[in-house]
Each structure stands twice: as C-alpha cells, then as structure tokens.
C-alpha cells in the first residue's frame, strides 16, 4: 500500500496543489529533533559514541540505548563520561524541545526511561552510584494516586546529577518527615492533583516544623494554585517538573531560601512563568 502511494506521488509533479486542495499547508520538510538549533548546541557534535547515546535518549529508544551503552562500556568508555556527556546531553535536548512545546509528555517519559536505563548500566559498571550534587525527596501526597508529575520530577533530578529519593505516591505525612530526617534533602517536592488531597501541603509543613526541619517544600500538581500553596510557610509553588533541578541548583549553589524562590521563581528557572508574572 505504502509502495503504491510513493509510486503515485512520484508520478505527480504538483502534489503541493493536492495538499492545498485538502487544506494542508506544506511548510517544508519536517525538522528532525537533532536539527533544532537549540538541540544542535546541546548534543555532542562529533559523530561517535557520545552522540549516538545522546540521540538514543533524544529518540526515547531504550533498547538501542541499552545496547549502545553496553557496547561503549565493553569498548572501554568511561561510565561517568557516558552519563555526563552523552546520556544527560540527550535528556537536556529533550527538555529544550519540551520547553518549546515541540516534545510532549510521552516523549519525556520515553526519553527518561532510556536515559535512566543507560545510567543504571553505567552505575553497575562503576560498582557504585555516580556522585550526586545533593539529595531531593519527592512524593505524591497522602491520598493521591497521581504520580506521573512526581515521576517526571524524579527523572529530571536524576538527569541533572541529583540523588532523587522517590517516596512514591499516596505518601503518609509522617513518612515525608521520616524521609527528610534520614536523607537530609536540600529540597522536598510534594505533588497533589486533587482538591481533596492538596490540603496535605499544610500538614506536611506543620509536621516538618514540629520536627524542626526547615527544608523548602516545592508544591505543585494539576489542582494546585500559587496563592493556595503560599498560605503555608516554607513552601513555594512549582509549575513544571523540569524546573525542579534549576530550583535545586539555586538552593545548592546560591543558598536561595523558599522566600527567595517565591520572589525570584521566573529568574531562577530562566523563563517567563505566567503564575509568577
Ligand atoms: C492520569 C489520571 C489518573 C490516573 C493516574 C495514573 C498515575 N499513575 O498517575 C488514574 C486513572 C489512576 C486516576 C485516578 C483517579 N483520578 Co485522575 N486524572 C488523571 C489525569 C487524566 C491526568 C493527570 C496527570 O497525570 N497529568 C500530567 C502530570 C504530568 O501533571 P502533574 O502531576 O500535575 O505534574 C505537572 C505539574 O503540575 C508539575 N508539578 C507537579 N508537582 C510539582 C512540584 C514542583 C516542586 C514543581 C516545580 C512542579 C510540579 O510538573 C508536571 C509538569 O511538568 C487528570 C485529568 C487531567 N487532564 O489533568 C485526572 C484527574 C487529576 N483525576 C481526577 C480524579 C477525581 C481521579 C479519581 C478520584 C477518579 C475516581 N472517581 O476514581 C481517581 C483516584 C482514585 C483514588 N485512588 O483516589 C480529577 C481530580 C479532580 C480534582 N480537582 O480534585 C482529574 C483532574 C480529572 C477530572 N477532571 O475530574 N487519574
């Protein structure tokens, strides 16, 4: 069927007219993800292992990424180099395209799986986890089964060199406090998608304060609004999962507090954010 269609198209010298007749505007050949100007700047430029792995992640091809990572390691590549300069570069490219609205949630999830799988293979070779910048604890709050946003946060943190402690979904408030005591995170993220569960933010704050823990808490999720979050101290409203590593960087590198994050959110994440305008 496809062969016959191609044969037919080849015979047409004026198929643009047909497209216009069917109200399809041809704007030139589709741009490949790796040809996007921002992605060109991010990906390793030279053909070779690093670029191949970055492209595997960009295309969300977990099986190929696994095979190429194994092969690179067998050929003597340095696992840390593969994590930092190949797998994470691919994920940076994915974030850039997602920010521009050219990639969507499924692209992020597929790429995240490919990257995390490649990182796991590298870490197995290393014999230990790669050094991390700091720890962040992430949960979907008590009563809430929606964990896609939280999973994205975990993936972006790992992709950016953080140790993301995934507490899971429907996490009882005392477990958040326990995790904070055990892991000493620089940041906690709490996600709620239901009006019935977002009241957990205030409860988490109260329980942390009772335990004497003043770690900033980023609160986000579909049902959540900035003014609601800001009713509780120690919190800030989080908008996009890919903002989290930038916020964590601001805490680790620049000592930003939850109050600073509330005041400087758009500057910290480096883009216009409607909720903070
Ligand atoms: C997928 C889904 C489900 C799946 C969840 C699967 C899973 N593993 O997560 C399933 C089928 C299980 C489900 C179940 C239910 N669901 Co549901 N579900 C949805 C749906 C369609 C999408 C939610 C989603 O994943 N969005 C995408 C993710 C990425 O968004 P996100 O988590 O908000 O994260 C983004 C940002 O908020 C941000 N973010 C999040 N947290 C943080 C934190 C920080 C610090 C930062 C910076 C950013 C950030 O990052 C992400 C973007 O990059 C929504 C409808 C909708 N269109 O939103 C309904 C919805 C959330 N569900 C709803 C309901 C009511 C339910 C049920 C109660 C239905 C029922 N009657 O059984 C049950 C729950 C039962 C229970 N156990 O309590 C309602 C909630 C209504 C409300 N406002 O209270 C919604 C809105 C549907 C609706 N219109 O009624 N659901």
């Amino acid at each position: 069927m496809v062969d016959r269609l191609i044969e037919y198209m080849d015979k047409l010298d004026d198929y643009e007219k047909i497209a216009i007749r069917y109200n399809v505007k041809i704007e030139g050949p589709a741009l490949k993800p790796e040809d996007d100007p921002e992605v060109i700047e991010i990906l390793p430029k030279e053909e070779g292992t690093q670029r191949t792995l970055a492209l595997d992640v960009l295309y969300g091809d977990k099986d190929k990424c696994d095979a190429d990572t194994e092969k690179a390691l067998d050929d003597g590549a340095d696992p840390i180099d593969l994590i930092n300069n190949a797998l994470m570069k691919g994920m940076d490219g994915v974030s850039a395209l997602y920010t521009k609205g050219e990639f969507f949630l499924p692209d992020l999830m597929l790429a995240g799986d490919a990257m995390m799988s490649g990182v796991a293979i590298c870490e197995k070779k290393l014999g230990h986890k790669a050094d991390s910048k700091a720890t962040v604890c992430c949960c979907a709050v008590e009563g809430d089964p929606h964990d896609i946003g939280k999973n994205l946060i975990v993936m972006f943190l790992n992709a950016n060199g953080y140790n993301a402690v995934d507490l899971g979904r429907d996490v009882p408030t005392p477990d958040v406090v326990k995790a904070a005591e055990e892991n000493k995170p620089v940041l906690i993220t709490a996600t709620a998608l239901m009006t019935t569960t977002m009241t957990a933010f205030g409860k988490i704050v109260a329980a942390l304060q009772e335990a004497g823990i003043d770690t900033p808490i980023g609160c986000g999720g579909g049902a959540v609004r900035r003014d609601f979050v800001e009713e509780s101290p120690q919190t800030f409203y989080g908008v996009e999962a890919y903002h989290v590593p930038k916020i964590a960087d601001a805490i680790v590198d620049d000592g930003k507090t939850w109050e600073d994050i509330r005041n400087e959110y758009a500057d910290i994440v480096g883009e216009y954010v409607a909720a903070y305008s």
Side-chain angles (χ1 to χ4, degrees), residues 190-221:
T191 300
L193 274 93
M194 300 184 336
T195 38
T196 47
T197 57
M198 62 189 201
T199 48
F201 298 142
K203 293 175 191 161
I204 293 174
V205 171
L208 287 172
Q209 290 194 339
E210 206 181 311
I213 299 169
D214 61 0
T215 312
I217 309 157
C219 303

Side-chain angles (χ1 to χ4, degrees), residues 98 105 143 145-149 152-153 169 189-191 193-195 218-223 236 238-241 243-244 247 265:
Y98 180 73
L105 212 50
H146 299 90
D147 65 357
I148 298 175
L152 289 175
I153 292 172
R169 57 185 164 182
T189 72
T191 300
L193 274 93
M194 300 184 336
T195 38
C219 303
F236 63 89
V239 182
E240 289 288 349
H243 291 164
V244 176
I247 295 164
Y265 192 98

